[in-house]
Amino acid sequence: MLDFSPFSGGLFSGVRLQDFVNRAVRGRPIESLRTPLAIVATERASRKLVAFTRGDTGLAVRASSSVPVIFASPWIEQKAYIDAAVADPLPTLTARRMGAQVVLAVNLMRRPDSLGSGRGGADLVIDLMLPRTRMGDFSQRQAQIRAGEAATRAALPRMRQLIASQPG
């Protein structure tokens, strides 16, 4: 998934991620996906959160995943975009605006209550306090996956309760 490209504005260009996502969705743009989807990113110059609900799915994911200095910022309509967490670590209000009845957020930040986050828009937040690792260090990947699975299993009773409480 990593495509070393030090002259792209980051260590990696992110094109492989974009291509991987586009293959996974069979080239469909965001608006053609079966489930309504908003992919959020931060507009680099203004630091404002932007929700992509139309256009190239892979490019939007690449924009949302563009960690400054590590991944090059992709340009969309003459604007550069970076990781959504720069503007909002938990952009739950975007899901609410799209009509979500139940919003579940998974907080991967190292702080359980990130300032400026959209925690208030979530019905349930799973805080994953994962050990700090370097960007290219995948040695803890399986342990991190197991930690995420365990935290999700622990939250299942509350998730079921939230879903059951919804009308219709």
Side-chain angles (χ1 to χ4, degrees), residues 13 39 53 72-73 76 80 84 87 99 119 129 134 136 143-144 148 153 160 164:
S13 73
I39 300 168
T53 57
S73 298
I76 302 170
R119 291 179 79 86
M129 299 299 287
R134 292 197 167 120
Q144 292 171 335
R153 273 193 296 283
R160 288 185 182 111

Side-chain angles (χ1 to χ4, degrees), residues 66-134:
S66 180
V67 177
V69 181
I70 305 297
F71 288 97
S73 298
W75 289 77
I76 302 170
E77 297 179 9
Q78 291 88 42
K79 293 181 181 179
Y81 291 89
I82 56 176
D83 190 339
V86 172
D88 188 351
L90 291 173
T92 59
L93 298 177
T94 301
R96 287 281 182 217
R97 282 189 216 104
M98 289 182 69
Q101 295 174 333
V102 175
V103 176
L104 166 68
V106 178
N107 181 16
L108 299 176
M109 304 301 286
R110 293 197 49 83
R111 307 174 301 279
D113 194 12
S114 303
L115 292 176
S117 77
R119 291 179 79 86
D123 296 293
L124 176 62
V125 178
I126 298 173
D127 288 303
L128 288 179
M129 299 299 287
L130 300 174
R132 187 178 301 271
T133 58
R134 292 197 167 120

Side-chain angles (χ1 to χ4, degrees), residues 41 47 53 139 154 162:
R47 296 293 202 246
T53 57
S139 65
L162 287 165

